[in-house]
Amino acid sequence: MSDSSCPRKRVLIVDDNAINRRLAIAFVTRLGMDSAEAADGPTGLAMLEVEPFDVVLLDISMPVMSGEEVLARLRADSRFSGLRVIAYTAHALPEEKQSLVEAGFDDLLIKPINLKAVEAVLADYLRG
């Protein structure tokens, strides 16, 4: 059931791997959210400067600029204070979630992802 008066939520997927981006886009779309993609941190930051997003799925290990560096820039800019940023990585264990949250991430999504995991980290936005 869709409410046309409520705009669809927008997710920016920042990952250097095209297959990972496509998979995340498929799941986000299936959950009724709009998405855009960036292949690296600088491109993601540039997109955030000109387009509004509700959530960023941010890969941690990327060339050019790491996910941690992108996050630090976002958290240092008050314009993005309400932006939900989810660490999106294959290189973290579930027990590392606390250290990522302490670094400023809102949640952790571990690759390989599945629809249930994506739905779980986006649940607040699916309701609202």
Side-chain angles (χ1 to χ4, degrees), residues 10-93:
R10 299 193 70 225
V11 180
L12 176 60
I13 298 152
V14 184
D15 192 321
D16 60 307
N17 183 293
I19 293 170
N20 288 340
R21 289 193 312 269
R22 291 290 172 214
L23 184 59
I25 288 167
F27 291 146
V28 166
T29 301
R30 187 162 176 195
L31 293 170
M33 302 173 98
D34 292 331
S35 63
E37 62 182 296
D40 57 43
T43 303
L45 287 170
M47 291 175 73
L48 286 160
E49 288 286 333
V50 296
E51 297 181 57
F53 290 94
D54 300 292
V55 180
V56 177
L57 295 183
L58 182 58
D59 186 23
I60 300 295
S61 302
M62 294 184 289
V64 183
M65 182 184 292
S66 73
E68 289 98 334
E69 186 176 350
V70 173
L71 177 73
R73 291 185 185 198
L74 291 172
R75 295 303 187 225
D77 189 329
S78 63
R79 294 175 298 162
F80 303 112
S81 63
L83 182 65
R84 185 167 184 180
V85 182
I86 298 168
Y88 175 56
T89 184
H91 306 293
L93 301 172

Side-chain angles (χ1 to χ4, degrees), residues 22-33 57 88 109-123 126:
R22 291 290 172 214
L23 184 59
I25 288 167
F27 291 146
V28 166
T29 301
R30 187 162 176 195
L31 293 170
M33 302 173 98
L57 295 183
Y88 175 56
L109 186 59
I110 298 175
K111 300 174 194 174
I113 62 171
N114 59 52
L115 181 61
K116 184 177 178 179
V118 173
E119 186 174 23
V121 298
L122 298 177
L126 293 172

